[in-house]
Amino acid sequence: MVQYNFKKITVVPNGKDFVDIILSRTQRQTPTVVHKGYAISRLRQFYMRKVKYTQTNFHEKLSTIIDEFPRLGDIHPFYGDLLHVLYNKDHYKLALGQINTARNLIGKIAKDYVKLLKYGDSLYRCKCLKVAALGRMCTVLKRIGPSLAYLEQVRQHMARLPSIDPNTRTILICGYPNVGKSSFINKITRADVEVQPYAFTTKSLFVGHTDYKYLRYQVIDTPGILDRPFEDRNIIEMCSITALAHLRAAILFFLDISGSCGYTIAQQAALFQSIKSLFLNKPLIVVCNKTDLQPLDGLSEEDMKLVNEMKAEALKTSIGHGGEGTDADVLLTMSALTEEGVIAVKNAACERLLNQRVEIKMKSKKINDCLNRFHVAVPKPRDQKERPLCIPQAVLEAKAKQAAAEEKRKTEKDLEEENGGAGVYSMNLRKHYILADDEWKEDNLPEILDGHNVYDFIDPDILHRVEELEREEGLRQAEADDDDFEIDGTELTPEQQEALAEIRRKKSILIQQHRIKKSTAESRPTVSRKFDKDRQFTTERMGRQLSSLGLDPSMAINRMRSRSASRKGRKRERSPEGRNDGMDIDDDTPSKKQRLSRSLSRSRSVSRPPHEVVPGEGLRDSAQKIKAIKLAKGSSKKRNKNAKRGEADRVIVNLKPKHLYCGKRSKGKTDRR
């Protein structure tokens, strides 16, 4: 038998306590004394041990939390749905996922900083890396503080849940609030469930145990259920619904026939009809309680009719699923106050459940191994008369029809294989719609946008209009292609036609040369224009081309030469006022002063020194400017230093951090918190 004991889950500390526990353990369990004179390898090993030990402790603690909390997909569906009802499985999974992510991040941080510590070049650098590693680990853990607090609350609540075995013999008590369910479980078990004369005294599941025929049965008391839609039920009611849906148990539906619970028999019958689908394949007994206040015989005809309908439904459920229920077993009366009929109800429920479990086991495959050990006696024939099997003709016809229907019926898998297989076949989701007319299944569903049906705003001739637009667009595009500008030469003079032909010929030659260069660009070495033998791009070539066109090339050649001369020179001559004239020298015979300035510019720079005072700066002399420059550098030094600061640089926020300056503890005091 599978037992779920959530009380064994370890306590989940909050973020601050978690950090204190881990850092204190690191401080106690690892060496604390290191000297400056140690070899650098020993220093690295000392701090790497600290980082690795801290990461291992974090990993163990977080792994314990992840492993001990149950995974909703691995436990029984009853507990999975119960936890979802109580805690919302999305929040639960998200919290555990954040714990797992934090564990992985801490592992990566430790790995990265151990790698950096291998190359630490001093005691100070190694210590800074260790502090940075531990600080980042603690930051990661503090970020998941809300998840740790949530899991601690879940753990405390789960520890208070009853230990229910979903697979053992179970009796489930359900019904409206205040109908006597808790009083009944107190009578037949030693469970001490609170009983009060008002509704919803029981707000969660309670478990007791009782014995019948030397077998142990667990009895579960569920909170009351109200007759309302499923989505309107609260968490207390959903606990009962979850137990009814998932536990294979004998159901005792309690009915208060006296009306003292505050609900009429009609309301209780309506609840029975609304949840009867949860009673399938389970032994069901309708228990009429509080007969000391109102006997069953004294009910009105309408109420008696409702009770008989419930009795018929319970009998149908029992017979339809292999039970052996009779009228006497399905409808029972009792009084929890006088204890009249209490034991009879318990015995009937246990007997019905036992018979059903035996019947299920007889139908299982395991029974064959047991039957092989028994000797089955075969009677000897007492005469020569043949006694063949006698099967009614109606049964044979019904079986034949069923077999034919099964042969004809095609599954979705068969339809998928016939229509192209997976990825091609699309299942028709509408064919099982329950509509008044089957032809309505294939109707187009309206698309609603802003409260309006989109189809109401669609022009019925829209397809025809789209075709017309496409046709018109094609005609316009064809006209645009025909109207491309191209000189055909019909309106030109003979001289212009010759020039046009020459331009086109030169254009084609240039295009071919460019394509050849582009195709061989990767394999062709780059040759400086200085060593270019062809000398294609020269002023002489440009002059010849301009002369052939009837233009004077002298101005263009002079302009190109002056530009190249200005590029060869270091800088233009500085004027006496400390600025450039902005004039190029085009004379062929420069003066002596110009030649001297050019030779000086080639030998040394004539740029202004930093301490030289320029008019308009607002400084008195060069000494004052030098002082201003020093002050500016001093003020920007601190900002530059802060800008270059990284994670590994030494930053002590707290001048006396507890875990770095406290030593080993003495024998007397072991809890500093």
Side-chain angles (χ1 to χ4, degrees):
M1 294 198 315
V2 181
Q3 291 272 341
Y4 296 96
N5 189 4
F6 299 130
K7 297 179 179 64
K8 293 183 179 178
I9 299 177
T10 309
V11 178
V12 181
N14 59 38
K16 186 175 182 302
D17 292 345
F18 211 122
V19 171
D20 289 342
I21 290 167
I22 299 300
L23 294 183
S24 298
R25 180 180 293 177
T26 303
Q27 186 71 11
R28 293 195 312 269
Q29 301 292 337
T30 57
T32 56
V33 179
V34 65
H35 294 295
K36 210 172 185 180
Y38 287 169
I40 188 64
S41 59
R42 185 173 179 183
L43 295 174
R44 292 170 185 162
Q45 196 65 32
F46 176 88
Y47 287 109
M48 279 195 285
R49 181 176 178 182
K50 293 261 185 188
V51 174
K52 288 180 181 177
Y53 190 86
T54 307
Q55 183 265 335
T56 304
N57 284 335
F58 274 124
H59 188 275
E60 289 176 358
K61 282 277 186 183
L62 296 176
S63 299
T64 302
I65 295 172
I66 294 170
D67 296 336
E68 288 189 351
F69 274 89
R71 295 187 179 182
L72 301 184
D74 298 340
I75 59 177
H76 194 275
F78 163 68
Y79 270 113
D81 279 4
L82 184 63
L83 295 181
H84 174 52
V85 166
L86 295 174
Y87 315 122
N88 191 344
K89 66 180 179 183
D90 294 333
H91 293 176
Y92 180 84
K93 289 182 178 179
L94 191 64
L96 287 178
Q98 288 179 344
I99 301 296
N100 188 36
T101 303
R103 181 179 64 176
N104 296 337
L105 285 175
I106 288 172
K108 289 180 181 177
I109 289 169
K111 185 178 179 182
D112 294 340
Y113 276 90
V114 166
K115 194 180 295 183
L116 291 173
L117 277 166
K118 289 180 181 177
Y119 301 99
D121 53 0
S122 65
L123 171 63
Y124 171 73
R125 185 65 58 86
C126 292
K127 185 172 183 179
C128 288
L129 288 172
K130 187 266 293 186
V131 173
L134 268 58
R136 287 187 62 186
M137 291 181 195
C138 297
T139 303
V140 169
L141 203 70
K142 286 177 182 176
R143 285 177 183 168
I144 61 169
S147 297
L148 294 172
Y150 168 79
L151 288 176
E152 174 58 14
Q153 291 182 357
V154 171
R155 184 201 67 81
Q156 292 177 3
H157 195 277
M158 288 171 64
R160 293 192 290 269
L161 290 178
S163 181
I164 298 174
D165 186 2
N167 301 314
T168 191
R169 295 167 291 274
T170 307
I171 298 173
L172 201 62
I173 308 170
C174 66
Y176 255 93
N178 201 22
V179 294
K181 302 186 296 296
S182 301
S183 301
F184 176 74
I185 193 175
N186 287 343
K187 294 294 182 183
I188 65 171
T189 68
R190 288 191 290 180
D192 188 16
V193 184
E194 184 182 5
V195 177
Q196 296 293 341
Y198 51 81
F200 287 107
T201 308
T202 304
K203 297 182 181 179
S204 62
L205 301 176
F206 286 86
V207 181
H209 294 84
T210 186
D211 292 330
Y212 177 73
K213 288 186 178 179
Y214 304 104
L215 292 175
R216 178 61 56 88
Y217 291 77
Q218 71 177 0
V219 185
I220 300 177
D221 180 21
T222 63
I225 310 172
L226 298 179
D227 183 24
R228 52 184 177 180
F230 185 84
E231 56 270 12
D232 293 339
R233 291 195 167 107
N234 55 25
I235 294 176
I236 297 174
E237 295 174 88
M238 287 305 298
C239 292
S240 302
I241 298 297
T242 304
L244 286 170
H246 291 290
L247 293 179
R248 195 173 58 186
I251 309 297
L252 297 179
F253 185 84
F254 269 56
L255 196 67
D256 184 0
I257 58 176
S258 68
S260 61
C261 64
Y263 304 98
T264 62
I265 294 179
Q267 290 175 312
Q268 299 178 60
L271 172 65
F272 180 91
Q273 297 296 333
S274 66
I275 64 172
K276 68 180 181 181
S277 59
L278 300 174
F279 302 150
L280 294 177
N281 297 323
K282 298 171 186 174
L284 175 62
I285 298 175
V286 179
V287 181
C288 297
N289 194 18
K290 302 184 182 179
T291 54
D292 56 320
L293 299 176
Q294 172 67 54
L296 185 62
D297 300 333
L299 293 176
S300 63
E301 291 182 2
E302 295 179 359
D303 292 340
M304 198 64 196
K305 183 180 178 182
L306 295 173
V307 172
N308 288 330
E309 288 178 358
M310 286 190 283
K311 175 182 174 182
E313 287 286 343
L315 191 62
K316 189 191 303 181
T317 303
S318 301
I319 297 174
H321 297 92
E324 298 177 358
T326 61
D327 291 356
D329 292 334
V330 169
L331 182 65
L332 297 174
T333 59
M334 60 162 276
S335 172
L337 183 63
T338 61
E339 298 187 10
E340 181 183 353
V342 171
I343 299 302
V345 171
K346 184 196 91 166
N347 292 344
C350 294
E351 191 66 33
R352 293 276 305 282
L353 180 63
L354 193 62
N355 292 338
Q356 191 215 30
R357 289 173 67 89
V358 170
E359 186 178 351
I360 291 173
K361 288 182 179 178
M362 290 295 291
K363 292 179 181 178
S364 66
K365 295 180 180 180
K366 293 182 180 179
I367 196 65
N368 296 329
D369 298 336
C370 300
L371 291 178
N372 290 336
R373 304 173 189 173
F374 300 126
H375 171 66
V376 181
V378 179
K380 293 180 181 180
R382 61 178 181 270
D383 51 23
Q384 301 298 326
K385 188 176 180 180
E386 290 288 335
R387 292 180 175 82
L389 296 175
C390 182
I391 302 175
Q393 187 65 26
V395 175
L396 294 175
E397 291 177 358
K399 283 190 173 183
K401 287 182 180 179
Q402 185 179 0
E406 289 180 355
E407 289 179 1
K408 291 180 181 178
R409 180 173 171 270
K410 288 186 178 181
T411 62
E412 286 295 333
K413 187 71 175 175
D414 300 333
L415 294 173
E416 180 183 327
E417 293 176 355
E418 290 177 3
N419 295 287
V424 178
Y425 171 71
S426 180
M427 184 175 66
N428 185 8
L429 300 176
R430 301 186 188 180
K431 64 182 179 182
H432 296 301
Y433 283 6
I434 302 174
L435 302 174
D437 190 353
D438 288 340
E439 295 180 356
W440 297 350
K441 293 180 180 179
E442 301 302 326
D443 290 351
N444 291 327
L445 297 177
E447 296 184 15
I448 306 299
L449 180 66
D450 297 333
H452 301 286
N453 189 353
V454 177
Y455 196 73
D456 295 340
F457 300 91
I458 294 179
D459 190 348
D461 300 332
I462 189 168
L463 296 177
H464 181 64
R465 291 174 182 272
V466 169
E467 290 179 0
E468 289 181 352
L469 287 173
E470 290 179 350
R471 197 180 306 116
E472 183 179 352
E473 183 182 2
L475 293 174
R476 290 188 176 183
Q477 190 172 1
E479 292 176 0
D481 293 340
D482 294 340
D483 292 342
D484 285 346
F485 177 75
E486 183 68 30
I487 297 177
D488 52 0
T490 56
E491 301 176 356
L492 301 177
T493 61
E495 292 82 4
Q496 291 175 340
Q497 290 180 0
E498 290 179 4
L500 178 62
E502 184 66 19
I503 289 172
R504 288 178 175 172
R505 186 183 66 80
K506 287 191 175 184
K507 181 180 177 183
S508 63
I509 292 172
L510 290 173
I511 291 173
Q512 290 177 4
Q513 290 178 352
H514 174 69
R515 287 176 179 170
I516 292 171
K517 284 184 179 181
K518 192 174 181 181
S519 63
T520 61
E522 295 181 357
S523 60
R524 188 177 67 253
T526 304
V527 180
S528 175
R529 189 173 295 178
K530 179 180 177 181
F531 302 102
D532 191 1
K533 301 293 185 183
D534 298 336
R535 302 289 288 175
Q536 293 182 1
F537 305 103
T538 59
T539 53
E540 289 81 3
R541 179 174 176 268
M542 183 180 68
R544 287 196 303 271
Q545 287 183 347
L546 292 175
S547 299
S548 65
L549 295 174
L551 300 174
D552 184 14
S554 59
M555 294 178 65
I557 292 172
N558 291 335
R559 185 166 59 250
M560 292 299 296
R561 283 177 177 170
S562 64
R563 190 177 299 172
S564 62
S566 65
R567 285 175 183 165
K568 289 179 183 177
R570 178 72 167 79
K571 281 191 177 180
R572 288 183 294 222
E573 179 187 5
R574 183 181 299 279
S575 64
E577 290 81 7
R579 58 180 177 83
N580 294 332
D581 293 335
M583 296 173 60
D584 290 334
I585 300 169
D586 295 332
D587 298 336
D588 293 336
T589 57
S591 63
K592 183 178 180 182
K593 184 179 179 181
Q594 290 172 348
R595 290 199 304 271
L596 183 61
S597 66
R598 287 185 184 179
S599 63
L600 286 173
S601 66
R602 290 192 190 97
S603 62
R604 64 179 180 83
S605 173
V606 292
S607 60
R608 186 187 305 114
H611 56 79
E612 182 180 334
V613 180
V614 178
E617 283 186 335
L619 297 172
R620 186 172 57 251
D621 52 7
S622 61
Q624 192 177 20
K625 186 172 183 179
I626 292 171
K627 186 177 180 181
I629 291 172
K630 285 185 178 180
L631 290 173
K633 287 183 177 179
S635 64
S636 63
K637 185 176 181 181
K638 187 176 181 181
R639 290 197 301 272
N640 293 339
K641 187 176 180 182
N642 289 334
K644 296 175 183 176
R645 188 171 66 179
E647 291 180 348
D649 291 311
R650 187 178 190 185
V651 180
I652 301 178
V653 181
N654 182 11
L655 295 180
K656 287 190 176 181
K658 186 73 174 174
H659 303 290
L660 295 178
Y661 289 94
C662 66
K664 300 280 188 177
R665 291 186 190 168
S666 62
K667 290 182 179 180
K669 185 177 179 183
T670 58
D671 187 6
R672 62 171 183 79
R673 292 189 299 274

